[in-house]
Amino acid sequence: MTNFPKRYYYRVLYTESLLNNGLLTDAYQSLLQLDTMFADLTDIHKDWYLAYRKYQWALYHYLNSDYPMALSALDIAINNYGAELDVVLGNALFLKGKIYDILGDRKAAIKLYRDCIRLDNFTYAVENAKQYIVTPFLKETVD
């Protein structure tokens, strides 16, 4: 893509679409671009977008089965969430729950699914978290 708009939010959306479609090499390049662009954001935008950026790095590491790196990025995203809407926070809690299910820590996974559900934000993460409280997430599961 040669003439992609230089707006951070558009890059966030583009990167997530690459990740969700399994285009990990392109997603990695886009994540690096997000990291570069982040330095030029205003302080308030940095507060908003830090969690978005870290969530996307977490998703990248998760898709590469690098769970320690994914958990580290998720901790930053969750503990520093400053955006107005909590959709990405729900996604981060849900992804962290899935990772703990994969690692066999069911108690931690259930807590994170409950935290996600408490957001009550009408997203797929909340709906899927309700399912995984009952039945543990398995890596082979598609959601």
Side-chain angles (χ1 to χ4, degrees), residues 5-122:
K6 293 183 178 9
R7 294 210 165 97
Y8 198 82
Y9 183 64
Y10 293 161
R11 176 63 60 178
V12 166
L13 296 175
Y14 175 66
T15 303
E16 189 153 353
S17 72
L18 292 170
L19 290 165
N20 288 331
N21 285 291
L23 301 170
L24 299 183
T25 301
D26 292 337
Y28 179 77
Q29 294 304 315
S30 193
L31 284 162
L32 293 176
Q33 183 67 33
L34 281 173
D35 286 350
T36 301
M37 294 171 71
F38 190 79
D40 294 330
L41 296 176
T42 64
D43 288 343
I44 194 163
H45 287 110
K46 286 178 182 175
D47 287 345
W48 291 347
Y49 288 120
L50 174 65
Y52 285 63
R53 184 170 60 106
K54 290 300 183 175
Y55 167 72
Q56 290 190 338
W57 272 112
L59 185 56
Y60 173 81
H61 291 303
Y62 164 79
L63 292 170
N64 282 293
S65 299
D66 187 347
Y67 304 127
M69 289 294 289
L71 289 171
S72 177
L74 287 167
D75 285 342
I76 295 168
I78 292 166
N79 294 329
N80 296 284
Y81 200 79
E84 187 175 331
L85 300 174
D86 59 7
V87 172
V88 174
L89 178 59
N91 291 345
L93 293 165
F94 178 63
L95 180 59
K96 193 171 180 181
K98 289 179 11 178
I99 292 170
Y100 277 117
D101 257 344
I102 291 167
L103 297 176
D105 190 342
R106 186 74 180 130
K107 185 176 178 181
I110 289 173
K111 181 202 175 303
L112 288 155
Y113 295 144
R114 285 191 176 130
D115 290 346
C116 177
I117 292 166
R118 265 189 228 104
L119 295 175
D120 196 26
N121 62 12
F122 304 104

